[in-house]
Every structure is written in C-alpha cells, then in structure tokens.
C-alpha cells in the first residue's frame, strides 16, 4: 500500500519512505491510500480471536503487500505482547487499561510496533539506523524502551535537564546498550531544535543514516487501532449493543486510530474527545473553527497541546466536513478541579484509582451517557498507570498508589546519561564521534 500526504494527495510514497522518512516535506502527515473494510467473517469470529491474531488481520490490510506475512506476524508477536483488559467501573462504564506495557502508558504500543517495523525496513542496509528523539518526558521513555535491543538501530534521546520527572528520566536513561540518553542544558524547544538541525545536516548524513521517531509517524498510528478491536472482543454480544469510546486526548493520535478502526467496520456508535482546558478540538466541534493556541499547563500534562498534530488526519478522513466529523466525535473538556473531583469520587465509590488523563476520559464518558440512555456501554481509555503520576494522584485520593514491579525496577537502576550544552556544534560533534 502507498501513503499520501494530507497536505497534497498527489504526494504519494512507499511504506518505507512513509516510515523512515518521518514527515512529508510539504508539512502534511502521511495517511494510508485506502482504509480497507474488514470482512464480515472477521467480526463474526472476533470474540474468539486472540489479541495478536486480530492485530495481524488489521495490520495486513495496510502492510500485507509490503512485508512478508510471516515477518508481519513476528513483528506483532513481539510488539503486541501485553494485554489491554477492559475493566468494569460503574454501571454502563468500563475502562480499557492501556498501561500494561514496559513504561506503563499506551505509547508503548505504537513505539514497540514502529521499532520492529523499522528494524525490518533497514535490515539489508550497511549502516545502522540512528533515531533521534527530543522529549519533554513520556515519548522518550516509550521510544527508548520500544527500541531497546532492537537489532540494527541506535536511539539517541534528548531531554531537558531538570525538566522531566525522576521516573521519566529513569525510563529513558538507565537502559544503555543501543539507547543513548543526552541530558541537554536547556529546555524542550532546545532539544527539538538540535534534532531538527541534525536531520538536515549533510555532513552528518554522510556517515549516519538518521531519522526521527515522533508521534506523528504512521507506523505508530496503525497499531493503536488494534486495541479498539481488542476492546470489542471483550464485550459480550457486542454486535447487538450500542458502544462508545471516550478518549482522553492531546495530539489526537489515539482518537484518530479509533476513527480508523471504525472506518474498517468496527461498530462503534461514536467517540468522545475528552480534553483538559486545552480545548481546541471541542471548540472546533462546537463552532466549526480550528484555532490553535499556546498550550496551558494542567495536571493531565500529556494532553497539554495547543495545536493537535493529528487534526489534519481527522479532517482528511472526513473530507474536511464539519458535519461528518460532528456525527462521529463529541467534544468535551474539564478543568483540573473537576479532574481531581473525579479521581476522588471514583476512588471513594468503586476503589478504582484513575490517573489524571483517564479521569478526564471518565468525566467525558459520564456526561455523554447521562444524555444518551440508548447507549449500553461506554469505554474510556486509561492511557497511563496512576503510579506514573503518583505526586498528583496521592494527595488527591489521600491514599498511596502501589508501584508496579516493572516501574520499581526502573527506579532501582542507575542513570547513565551524557550531559550536553544546547549548542548545535556540541551535539554534532557527539553524533559524529559516536558513528560507526
Ligand atoms: C500521549 C498521552 C495522551 C494523549 O494522547 P494523544 O494520542 O496525543 O491524544 C493521553 N494520556 C497519556 C498518559 C499520554 O501519554
């Protein structure tokens, strides 16, 4: 299958270019040339398929022409190696827990799949592939762990000194081997500037095969559609029910992956785009106007996005029709106080501990269900484990959050990062002296 740019549909590239090239030069985002509908037989047997088997059926629709099917199966078996259980919270309300991966957030799914796909695409090349990632926290951990020990690939993660949490730093900087952590004396924008400069530097290109692994890569989006199918598989008689998803959103990758699942035939009634006070998309759904703004800091900080990057993909999926988009997506947003109240009441009433992002998803779902009695089941996505946001969660629920073993293991490891100035010449010298 080929991929086109949302900015110019005549700009068509191969899978290899779409995955390794990063972003189209015209500043659009890549989209698959078509979104195939899965056959009726797939939905008839969905309840009996395993997570990996259904993921394979979904993935082959997009990648089956370009990758041998046995390789695709291997990629899926390695990448999709943790479950996404759907858990009861209240009457009509369930959550899908996406935090059972190595860094306890849903970004593990996309990062693990992207890493194995990239490894396949570069396996016959003479050079190792070097991946540069600038991170303000969460993405760096998911990417570093996703690529850890993947053959043929080195990862260099740049993070701002003193500006990420200790948990995040441990998830990035304690791995070693093919993962290099660079602690930059500067802010996130400096990290991003250094990465962008290196990606277009012709001196570096002579000795290193470079790419980036940012969140807009199409190979992260495709696997995120798998778990929407996996959720339905866990709902009894899903074909006779009216089911909605509430997706706590920032850059809208997760929600876009859900829209793709729906386009492939998953019988979702609609999606709820739940945001914090960075409510650019809920405003668009309300007014038809898309007006990016500077982001505002909140307690659900992975959703502090003022210019959601996947919005152009949503427009593309619906031919830019506000009416069609509104039929499938309902927008709603919440303040930090409301988010805290939700965490408190859910803990009190059910014992379940929400993280701040999941709490926003819960609130959006609760509101929607109160207005739609015909809906049988609502599922909000729990995008991270509450232990990742211990400092925020514990004072709110006035209880301790148990730290899962795989997180505790990170906390016990030594940080091994290199410190770097925010000058490009220093970064360049570092890259060139570490090339093979
Ligand atoms: C990245 C992230 C989000 C937002 O997901 P998008 O795909 O950017 O909308 C929500 N919650 C958590 C915990 C995240 O890390």
């Amino acid at each position: 299958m080929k991929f086109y740019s949302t900015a110019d549909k005549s700009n068509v590239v191969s899978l290899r270019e779409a995955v390794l090239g990063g972003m189209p030069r015209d500043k659009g985002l890549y989209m698959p040339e078509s979104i195939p509908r899965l056959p009726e037989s797939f939905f008839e047997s969905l309840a009996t398929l395993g997570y990996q088997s259904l993921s394979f059926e979904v993935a082959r629709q997009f990648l089956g022409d370009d990758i041998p099917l046995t390789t695709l199966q291997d990629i899926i078996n390695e990448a999709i190696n943790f479950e996404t259980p759907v858990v009861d919270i209240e009457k009509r309300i369930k959550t899908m827990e996406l935090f059972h991966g190595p860094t306890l957030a849903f970004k593990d799914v996309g990062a693990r799949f992207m890493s194995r796909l990239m490894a396949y695409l570069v396996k016959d090349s003479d050079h190792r592939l070097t991946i540069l990632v600038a991170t303000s926290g969460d993405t760096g951990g998911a990417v570093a762990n996703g690529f850890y020990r993947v053959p043929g690939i080195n990862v260099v993660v740049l993070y701002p000194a003193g500006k990420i949490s200790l948990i995040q730093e441990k998830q990035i900087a304690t791995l070693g081997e093919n993962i290099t952590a660079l602690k930059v004396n500067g802010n996130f924008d400096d990290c991003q500037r250094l990465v962008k400069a290196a990606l277009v530097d012709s001196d570096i290109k002579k000795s290193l095969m470079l790419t980036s692994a940012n969140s807009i890569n199409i190979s992260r989006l495709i696997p995120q559609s798998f778990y929407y199918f996996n959720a339905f598989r866990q709902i009894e008689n899903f074909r006779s029910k009216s089911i909605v998803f509430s997706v706590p959103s920032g850059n809208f990758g997760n929600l876009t992956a859900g829209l793709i699942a729906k386009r492939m035939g998953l019988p979702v009634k609609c999606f709820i785009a739940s945001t914090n006070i960075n409510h650019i998309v809920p405003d668009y759904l309300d007014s038809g106007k898309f007006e990016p703004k500077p982001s505002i800091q909140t307690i659900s900080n992975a959703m502090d996005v003022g210019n959601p990057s996947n919005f152009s993909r949503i427009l593309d999926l619906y031919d830019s029709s506000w009416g069609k988009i509104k039929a499938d997506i309902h927008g709603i947003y919440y303040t930090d106080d409301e988010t805290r109240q939700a965490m408190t009441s859910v803990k009190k009433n059910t014992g379940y501990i929400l993280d701040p992002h999941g709490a926003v998803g819960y609130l959006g779902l609760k509101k929607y269900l109160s207005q739609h009695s015909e809906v049988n089941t609502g599922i909000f996505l729990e995008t991270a484990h509450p232990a990742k946001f211990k400092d925020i969660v514990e004072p709110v629920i006035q209880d301790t959050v148990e730290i899962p073993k795989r997180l505790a293991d990170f906390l016990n490891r030594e940080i091994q990062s290199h410190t770097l100035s925010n000058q490009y010449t220093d970064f360049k010298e570092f890259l060139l002296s570490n090339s093979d």
Side-chain angles (χ1 to χ4, degrees):
M1 184 178 286
K2 297 264 192 288
F3 295 81
Y4 62 81
S5 165
T6 53
D8 172 8
K9 287 200 177 195
S10 68
N11 180 1
V12 173
V13 301
S14 65
L15 172 71
R16 192 188 163 81
E17 171 65 22
V19 172
L20 296 180
M23 222 168 144
R25 271 180 250 298
D26 62 20
K27 304 258 163 69
L29 301 185
Y30 288 121
M31 280 294 275
E33 210 168 32
S34 70
I35 298 181
R37 235 187 133 75
L38 287 156
E40 191 53 26
S41 57
F42 172 83
F43 294 100
E44 277 163 13
S45 65
L46 184 60
T48 59
L49 287 178
Y51 185 17
Q52 292 177 341
S53 310
L54 76 85
S55 299
F56 175 73
E57 291 305 322
V58 174
R60 70 186 288 184
Q61 305 293 324
F62 298 105
L63 310 172
D65 300 338
D66 297 279
I67 300 178
L69 293 181
T70 52
T71 305
L72 185 59
Q73 186 72 67
D74 291 343
I75 291 174
I76 282 170
N77 291 351
E78 279 189 32
I80 308 300
N81 68 340
F82 55 90
E83 265 298 334
T84 63
V86 172
V87 174
D88 286 323
I89 302 293
E90 291 170 15
K91 196 165 183 305
R92 295 162 79 211
I93 297 186
K94 297 176 192 289
T95 187
M96 173 159 57
E97 296 180 342
L98 299 176
F99 54 68
H100 294 277
T103 72
L104 297 88
F106 81 89
K107 290 186 176 73
D108 285 328
V109 176
R112 293 181 67 77
F113 187 87
M114 171 168 65
S115 64
R116 272 95 187 151
L117 184 58
M118 284 184 170
Y120 168 74
L121 294 172
V122 301
K123 75 177 174 9
D124 297 324
S125 102
D126 300 334
H127 282 300
R128 290 175 72 79
L129 177 67
T130 298
I131 294 184
L132 304 182
V133 203
T135 185
S136 55
D138 264 3
T139 301
V143 170
N145 284 273
F147 282 90
Y148 182 53
R149 292 182 170 160
V150 170
I153 300 183
N154 291 337
V155 176
V156 180
V157 185
L158 292 80
Y159 65 94
K163 297 209 167 58
I164 68 175
S165 74
L166 182 64
I167 291 179
Q168 288 171 330
E169 188 170 11
K170 293 255 182 178
Q171 288 181 333
I172 294 166
T174 61
L175 296 166
E177 300 191 40
N178 65 327
I179 311 296
T180 303
L182 295 181
K183 181 170 165 175
V184 175
N185 283 318
N187 55 27
F188 172 62
D189 293 336
D190 291 320
C191 297
Q192 211 158 25
R193 175 175 50 79
L194 296 177
V195 166
K196 283 188 176 156
L199 288 170
V200 296
D201 187 326
S202 48
D203 291 343
I204 292 185
K205 276 193 203 156
K206 275 182 221 146
S207 48
L208 283 174
M209 181 163 64
L210 276 191
T211 189
S212 66
N214 45 30
S215 62
I216 45 103
N217 196 299
I218 187 70
S219 67
R220 282 176 66 168
L221 198 62
I222 290 172
Q224 286 179 202
S225 66
F226 303 163
Y227 46 71
Y228 289 94
F229 294 94
N230 200 39
F232 267 54
R233 181 174 77 88
Q234 298 174 61
I235 308 288
E236 222 178 310
N237 295 325
F238 71 84
R239 307 190 88 197
S240 62
K241 287 187 175 146
S242 173
I243 302 173
V244 300
F245 282 106
S246 172
V247 187
S249 295
N251 269 320
F252 282 78
N254 222 354
L255 196 134
T256 304
L259 298 174
I260 290 174
K262 184 168 198 282
R263 190 64 61 87
M264 294 179 87
L266 190 71
V268 186
K269 176 178 153 65
C270 69
F271 292 86
I272 301 147
S274 303
T275 74
N276 59 31
I277 52 164
N278 295 281
H279 47 76
I280 314 300
V281 171
D283 283 357
Y284 164 80
L285 293 165
D286 206 36
S287 70
K289 293 195 193 73
F290 182 67
E291 293 174 328
K293 298 192 173 72
S295 67
I296 303 164
Q297 201 178 341
T298 73
I299 58 168
S300 49
N301 58 21
M303 312 198 305
D304 295 349
V305 179
N307 188 3
S309 51
N310 281 289
F311 186 71
S312 64
R313 284 191 169 123
I314 297 179
L315 284 178
D316 185 78
L317 277 168
Y318 293 91
D319 304 320
S320 300
S321 160
W322 178 49
K324 287 191 210 162
I325 293 175
K326 281 207 307 179
D328 273 2
I329 312 176
H330 294 258
I332 189 151
Y333 63 90
Y334 292 94
T335 64
D336 280 354
D337 277 345
E338 291 167 316
T339 306
R340 287 194 190 92
Q341 277 161 24
M343 289 159 65
T344 311
S345 69
V346 170
K347 171 71 166 59
K348 191 162 142 264
N349 298 333
T350 73
Y352 195 83
I353 301 177
L354 296 168
D355 99 292
H357 306 81
V360 171
Y362 166 85
L363 282 167
L365 178 57
K366 183 115 176 144
K367 175 85 184 172
Y368 182 87
L369 290 179
S370 74
Q371 298 162 339
H372 294 265
S373 56
E374 79 285 5
V375 173
N376 305 97
T377 301
I379 305 169
F380 67 95
L381 307 192
E382 240 311 357
T383 48
H385 192 286
K388 279 196 97 164
F389 301 93
K390 215 171 156 34
D391 298 349
I392 296 164
V393 176
E394 288 185 340
V396 173
I397 62 165
Q398 302 194 355
D399 202 347
T400 49
V401 179
E402 216 175 295
I403 297 188
K405 181 171 182 311
R406 62 198 186 289
L407 184 56
D409 288 346
F410 276 115
L411 293 172
N412 291 331
R413 302 218 293 247
E414 287 295 317
I415 290 177
Q416 31 178 317
S417 56
H418 303 260
T419 304
L420 212 66
S421 78
N422 64 356
Q423 300 299 309
Y424 181 60
T425 47
D426 289 346
F427 181 48
K428 179 169 179 169
E429 197 185 322
F430 181 87
L431 285 177
L432 290 175
S433 63
N434 284 282
S435 64
D436 45 303

